[in-house]
């Protein structure tokens, strides 16, 4: 049979453990809140990174398109420059380089 003093000591130990567990649980709850906030921030960061990659991809595509159009214009100009008739060269430049319609070219000349 236990002595009352021993029972008091056991109860003190249980109370001490309870307090320690309560502190540990509070700390874990705070940590969980921080993890959830970090998770939300990471999700937002991931979305931002995805958007940035999409913007970079679109920018590259636009730049490549510009380069292709520039190369095509240069080829057209080279071909037009090789033509002997100056009037034909002028008309083709108005049409294919300046982007005028045949109607607007006729009105100018």
């Amino acid at each position: 049979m236990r002595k009352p003093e021993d029972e008091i000591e056991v109860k003190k130990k249980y109370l001490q453990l309870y307090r320690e567990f309560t502190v540990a649980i509070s700390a874990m709850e705070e940590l969980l809140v921080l993890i959830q906030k970090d998770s939300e921030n990471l999700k937002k960061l991931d979305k931002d990174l995805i958007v940035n990659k999409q913007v970079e991809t679109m920018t590259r595509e636009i730049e490549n398109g510009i380069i292709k159009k520039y190369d095509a214009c240069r080829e057209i100009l080279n071909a037009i420059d090789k033509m002997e008739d100056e009037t034909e060269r002028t008309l083709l430049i108005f049409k294919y380089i300046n982007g005028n319609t045949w109607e607007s070219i006729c009105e100018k000349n």
Side-chain angles (χ1 to χ4, degrees):
M1 188 168 172
R2 287 187 186 169
K3 296 181 189 176
E5 297 87 24
D6 291 338
E7 287 183 22
I8 291 174
E9 286 301 314
V10 168
K11 288 180 182 180
K12 282 182 181 179
K13 285 182 183 179
Y14 279 129
L15 184 58
Q16 180 63 31
L17 282 174
Y18 177 79
R19 287 181 185 149
E20 289 173 7
F21 285 141
T22 303
V23 169
I25 290 170
S26 294
M28 284 189 266
E29 287 173 342
E30 289 176 17
L31 183 60
L32 181 61
V33 168
L34 290 174
I35 289 170
Q36 288 171 341
K37 285 181 182 177
D38 284 346
S39 175
E40 290 169 11
N41 289 336
L42 286 174
K43 285 178 186 175
K44 183 179 181 298
L45 181 62
D46 284 345
K47 287 179 185 175
D48 291 345
L49 288 174
I50 290 169
V51 168
N52 285 340
K53 285 183 181 181
Q54 290 171 342
V55 168
E56 287 174 11
T57 301
M58 288 188 298
T59 301
R60 257 187 263 113
E61 288 173 2
I62 291 169
E63 288 171 347
N64 289 338
I66 290 170
I67 290 169
K68 285 179 184 177
K69 291 204 183 289
Y70 177 77
D71 290 342
C73 284
R74 190 174 39 197
E75 286 178 29
I76 292 169
L77 274 173
N78 288 337
I80 291 172
D81 283 340
K82 292 177 183 175
M83 297 182 75
E84 291 181 21
D85 189 323
E86 188 175 333
T87 303
E88 286 180 353
R89 282 197 311 260
T90 303
L91 290 174
L92 293 174
I93 288 173
F94 280 143
K95 174 66 178 164
Y96 295 105
I97 302 303
N98 297 344
N100 297 53
T101 64
W102 289 118
E103 292 81 15
S104 65
I105 293 169
C106 289
E107 290 172 4
K108 289 180 184 178
N109 295 325

